[in-house]
């Protein structure tokens, strides 16, 4: 495939596709070992830092949607919040993928292992900070930090390998 074809839509698709297993691993770690689940932490953090009017608007929209479909607000509100949190995280992964592909295309860079690791750090460090600030895990902070760091580094490498796989002319250069 020609590098010119690897645009925002392809990057968004690859970003979403590599974020889905990241979500699965985080959920599994959360269920089996009480490790952090970043989508819930991010959603919780966002509701704390966003302007109150915006949060109220979002809550009103959620309630109106549930009522439109004749769904009990009391029964479904928490589930709806969890779904929104996961979709928000998946959308973030797609957006990061689109940006990564655009940067790689514009810079005509060769996808190297460090570029994937850098993306993993750029996304992972804020997620780690949010997890610590929210207190989203009962585990020791160092365990949560190492867990999230490993997951986001692997996610970044997978994103870089996805770019390289779709652009075989660029290859994927290993660390020296």
């Amino acid at each position: 495939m020609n590098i010119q074809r690897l645009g925002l839509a392809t990057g968004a698709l690859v970003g979403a596709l590599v974020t889905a297993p990241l979500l699965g691993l985080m959920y599994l770690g959360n269920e089996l070992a009480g490790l952090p689940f970043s989508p819930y932490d991010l959603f919780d953090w966002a509701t704390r830092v966003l302007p109150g009017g915006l949060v109220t608007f979002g809550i009103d929209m959620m309630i109106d949607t549930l009522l439109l479909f004749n769904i009990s607000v009391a029964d479904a509100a928490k589930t709806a919040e969890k779904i929104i949190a996961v979709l928000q995280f998946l959308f973030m992964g797609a957006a990061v993928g689109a940006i990564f592909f655009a940067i790689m295309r514009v810079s005509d860079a060769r996808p190297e292992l460090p570029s994937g690791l850098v993306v993993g750090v750029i996304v992972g460090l804020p997620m780690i900070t949010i997890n610590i600030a929210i207190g989203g895990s009962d585990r020791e902070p160092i365990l949560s930090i190492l867990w999230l760091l490993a997951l986001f580094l692997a996610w970044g490498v997978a994103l870089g390998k996805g770019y390289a796989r779709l652009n075989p002319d660029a290859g994927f250069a290993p660390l020296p």
Side-chain angles (χ1 to χ4, degrees):
M1 182 178 286
N2 186 335
I3 193 167
Q4 300 304 329
R5 290 186 176 168
L6 298 180
L8 294 176
T10 305
L13 178 61
V14 172
L17 289 174
V18 299
T19 301
L22 174 66
L23 283 164
L25 288 170
M26 278 194 268
Y27 184 77
L28 186 64
N30 181 264
E31 289 295 309
L32 296 178
L35 293 164
F37 187 64
S38 291
Y40 295 167
D41 295 342
L42 179 62
F43 183 81
D44 189 19
W45 174 80
T47 59
R48 293 179 189 192
V49 300
L50 288 174
L54 185 60
V55 173
T56 302
F57 174 76
I59 292 170
D60 290 343
M61 288 286 294
M62 180 179 70
I63 291 170
D64 291 344
T65 303
L66 291 172
L67 293 174
L68 177 70
F69 291 107
N70 202 24
I71 298 172
S72 168
V73 174
D75 295 338
K78 196 64 176 171
T79 302
E81 284 182 3
K82 290 180 177 183
I83 291 169
I84 291 168
V86 169
L87 290 175
Q88 168 189 306
F89 194 84
L90 189 62
F91 177 77
M92 182 195 70
V96 170
I99 292 166
F100 177 73
F101 272 49
I103 289 171
M104 295 301 287
R105 185 182 69 193
V106 169
S107 67
D108 200 24
R110 183 176 171 179
E112 297 180 0
L113 184 58
S115 62
L117 292 173
V118 167
V119 171
V121 167
I122 288 172
V123 175
L125 287 181
M127 291 295 116
I128 291 168
T129 304
I130 289 169
N131 174 260
I132 291 169
I134 296 297
S137 175
D138 295 333
R139 301 307 242 166
E140 292 76 29
I142 190 69
L143 183 58
S144 295
I145 291 168
L146 293 174
W147 167 251
L148 290 175
L149 187 60
L151 286 177
F152 281 104
L153 288 175
W155 173 83
V157 169
L159 191 60
K161 285 194 176 262
Y163 182 85
R165 175 82 171 153
L166 292 172
N167 184 22
D169 296 333
F172 194 83
L175 286 172

